[in-house]
Amino acid sequence: MNELVARFVSNVGIDQPTAEKALGIILDFLQKEGPADKVQALIDSLPDGAALLQAAQESGGGMFSMGGLMGAGSRMMAAGLTMGQVQSVTKETIAFAREKVGEDTIGEIVGSIPGLSQFV
């Protein structure tokens, strides 16, 4: 199991399939909204990161889904997470990313996405 997915299961209390969906949705959101090179470095640092991202992109959000931060949150709630769990997986992802790619890279990603800093 991916180390970050394992942290979601352990620290947030969600099952592995839901944790994988949530991570894929977060990566999809970051790829669409953040600086491409920084987000790609993050994806590359995660075992199965590209596969989870692809699965999230294939599942999409539906024809009338909204984008941005609200859209990502809505997709995670549709996958079975509560609002508190959405916030927890987001914080876990950012904390893990800091460990893997460093504060500077994560600071650039978070700083480039309006509203994200309020959730991390």
Side-chain angles (χ1 to χ4, degrees), residues 51-118:
L52 294 171
L53 172 62
Q54 183 176 357
Q57 290 171 335
E58 289 172 359
S59 70
M63 190 165 119
F64 298 106
S65 67
M66 67 180 100
L69 196 56
M70 294 301 295
S74 295
R75 286 178 67 194
M76 284 189 274
M77 288 191 293
L81 278 70
T82 66
M83 180 53 81
Q85 289 170 326
V86 168
Q87 291 174 325
S88 293
V89 297
T90 303
K91 288 179 182 178
E92 287 286 340
T93 301
I94 297 301
F96 184 84
R98 280 188 180 107
E99 296 168 16
K100 295 296 180 185
V101 296
E103 180 62 43
D104 291 343
T105 298
I106 294 309
E108 287 184 48
I109 292 172
V110 171
S112 72
I113 302 172
L116 183 57
S117 63
Q118 297 173 25

Side-chain angles (χ1 to χ4, degrees), residues 26-45:
I26 290 169
L27 294 175
D28 184 43
F29 164 74
L30 292 174
Q31 186 179 54
K32 289 177 181 171
E33 304 289 331
D37 58 332
K38 305 299 182 191
V39 174
Q40 191 59 52
L42 172 60
I43 293 167
D44 292 344
S45 76

